[in-house]
Amino acid sequence: ASSRASSATARAEAAEKRAKALEDRVNAAERKASSSREAEVAAEKRAEAANEAEATAATKCASLEADLDALRGQAERGQAALMGELDELRAARERAESDAGAVSGTLDNLRKELEAANQRARQAELAASAADARAAVAAESR
């Protein structure tokens, strides 16, 4: 009886060990499943964030396209206005050239006066430059 009891005890201990090993494996499987669920939730959150970012980008792109269309319209209107101004300026230039031909004698006199004024300005610049040089020499000699 003692031998059977000893054998039964050994079997019971072996069964407990197997049960403990099975429990450990079940616990490990549960931890792995929990980790997988956490990874799945994290992946879903990342996917949601990516979808939101994509929607935001699409909205911003549409807004930028609308802004670009508006700017193109403004540029076209501006270009048309500038072309109108250019035509007006060309007409004004033609009138001015016509008027200049009528008063060419006056222009010749004005050119001569301008040349004389330029000459006087050059002489004044030279005189000022010479005065600056004299002042610098005088300052150095002190």
Side-chain angles (χ1 to χ4, degrees):
S2 164
S3 141
R4 275 189 265 152
S6 173
S7 175
T9 303
R11 284 194 307 267
E13 287 175 358
E16 284 179 16
K17 286 182 183 178
R18 286 193 304 272
K20 175 68 174 144
L22 284 173
E23 185 180 343
D24 289 346
R25 285 198 306 223
V26 166
N27 288 339
E30 286 176 351
R31 284 192 303 274
K32 189 173 184 180
S34 174
S35 176
S36 292
R37 281 191 297 275
E38 289 171 3
E40 185 178 340
V41 168
E44 287 174 1
K45 286 182 180 179
R46 286 194 304 271
E48 287 175 13
N51 288 338
E52 289 175 10
E54 183 180 1
T56 300
T59 300
K60 183 149 185 118
C61 185
S63 173
L64 289 173
E65 287 175 354
D67 290 348
L68 181 60
D69 288 342
L71 288 172
R72 283 183 180 140
Q74 288 176 355
E76 289 170 0
R77 289 188 298 277
Q79 184 178 10
L82 287 174
M83 293 303 290
E85 282 185 46
L86 181 60
D87 289 343
E88 290 175 16
L89 289 172
R90 285 181 179 146
R93 183 184 69 200
E94 290 172 4
R95 286 191 304 274
E97 288 172 352
S98 174
D99 292 347
V103 292
S104 64
T106 304
L107 280 176
D108 287 340
N109 288 338
L110 289 175
R111 282 191 191 108
K112 289 176 186 174
E113 288 178 23
L114 179 60
E115 288 174 11
N118 283 339
Q119 182 64 30
R120 288 191 301 273
R122 281 193 293 271
Q123 289 172 351
E125 288 173 1
L126 289 173
S129 178
D132 287 345
R134 286 193 299 275
V137 169
E140 287 180 15
S141 66
R142 287 183 190 159

